Amino acid sequence: QQQVKQSPQSLIVQKGGISIINCAYENTAFDYFPWYQQFPGKGPALLIAIRPDVSEKKEGRFTISFNKSAKQFSLHIMDSQPGDSATYFCAARYGTGGFKTIFGAGTRLFVKA
Amino acid sequence: DGGITQSPKYLFRKEGQNVTLSCEQNLNHDAMYWYRQDPGQGLRLIYYSQIVNDFQKGDIAEGYSVSREKKESFPLTVTSAQKNPTAFYLCASSNTGGNYGYTFGSGTRLTVV
């Protein structure tokens, strides 16, 4: 059973546009929601993260919006650039029991120049 | 520079053979994790360890084994019991609790020949 559902599977955006990736979860035991960026042949890298007591977090062009009651969160990439083309994973971490993290299936983003 | 080193980058396994993937970190992180990445399925947890000499099974532990004899090292053995081992394997480490995401290695691509 997929515990973190991510959509869309792939996304094509024009340079300068806004990229939006959505995720949903069910388990209220999650206490930390990171996003990771992965380039081909590389390991994922932490991009930005949020705790469930915060509704929005912004770092540069990247913003997480978090809706605790709906159990949904999303990543917005403003002014998308070709260098942002990568696979993005949302994730959710358990607050206890090893702090293991469950990942969404990933979104392949392509930003057209 | 602090980080996680995975080796080898590419590994070829013959049918019926056991192979061991190396993961070393110098970040002084307590927790270490092994994930398997297949196209379209995100990252799935194989094993994780919070402290030396202790580890727990993740969601897909069958056919894999690990050890944690040193804080810095968390090798993964892919045994002959793993029927479909061809995948990209990622090692990660983290502090526990708090606002900490994972630091990932650059991965090992394992292919059965």
Side-chain angles (χ1 to χ4, degrees), chain B residues 29-47:
Chain B
H29 286 166
D30 291 316
M32 297 187 74
Y33 307 83
W34 274 104
Y35 284 85
R36 170 178 171 145
Q37 185 173 24
D38 297 282
Q41 295 194 48
L43 283 70
R44 293 182 291 166
L45 182 63
I46 304 173
Y47 268 98

Side-chain angles (χ1 to χ4, degrees), chain A residues 3 9 31-32 34 36 38 41-46 51 87 89 93 95 97-106, chain B residues 9 31 33 35 37 40-43 45 48 50 57 59 88 90 96-102 104-107 109:
Chain A
Q3 298 189 50
Q9 188 174 16
D31 76 336
Y32 180 75
Y36 291 85
Q38 184 181 31
K42 304 294 185 182
L46 180 64
R51 302 277 286 196
T87 299
F89 293 95
R93 187 192 72 183
F99 302 97
K100 60 183 181 181
T101 296
I102 307 301
F103 288 80
Chain B
K9 189 172 180 64
Y33 307 83
Y35 284 85
Q37 185 173 24
Q41 295 194 48
L43 283 70
L45 182 63
Y48 63 103
Q50 280 187 278
K57 293 181 179 179
D59 299 320
F88 191 48
L90 288 159
T96 54
N99 295 330
Y100 303 114
Y102 287 176
F104 280 92
S106 56
R109 187 165 298 280

Side-chain angles (χ1 to χ4, degrees), chain B residues 11-109:
Chain B
L11 186 58
F12 297 90
R13 193 194 93 168
K14 294 181 180 179
E15 294 284 350
Q17 199 176 44
N18 292 354
V19 292
T20 297
L21 284 60
S22 172
C23 178
E24 302 276 338
Q25 56 103 355
N26 61 3
L27 299 164
N28 199 33
H29 286 166
D30 291 316
M32 297 187 74
Y33 307 83
W34 274 104
Y35 284 85
R36 170 178 171 145
Q37 185 173 24
D38 297 282
Q41 295 194 48
L43 283 70
R44 293 182 291 166
L45 182 63
I46 304 173
Y47 268 98
Y48 63 103
S49 168
Q50 280 187 278
I51 57 173
V52 174
N53 293 323
D54 187 48
F55 48 82
Q56 285 77 41
K57 293 181 179 179
D59 299 320
I60 56 165
E62 184 175 353
Y64 301 97
S65 66
V66 294
S67 63
R68 187 90 185 274
E69 297 178 359
K70 299 186 301 182
K71 185 176 183 177
E72 302 80 14
S73 178
F74 193 41
L76 173 74
T77 296
V78 184
T79 74
S80 57
Q82 171 50 238
K83 299 306 179 187
N84 184 24
T86 295
F88 191 48
Y89 291 88
L90 288 159
C91 180
S93 71
S94 174
N95 284 316
T96 54
N99 295 330
Y100 303 114
Y102 287 176
T103 300
F104 280 92
S106 56
T108 292
R109 187 165 298 280

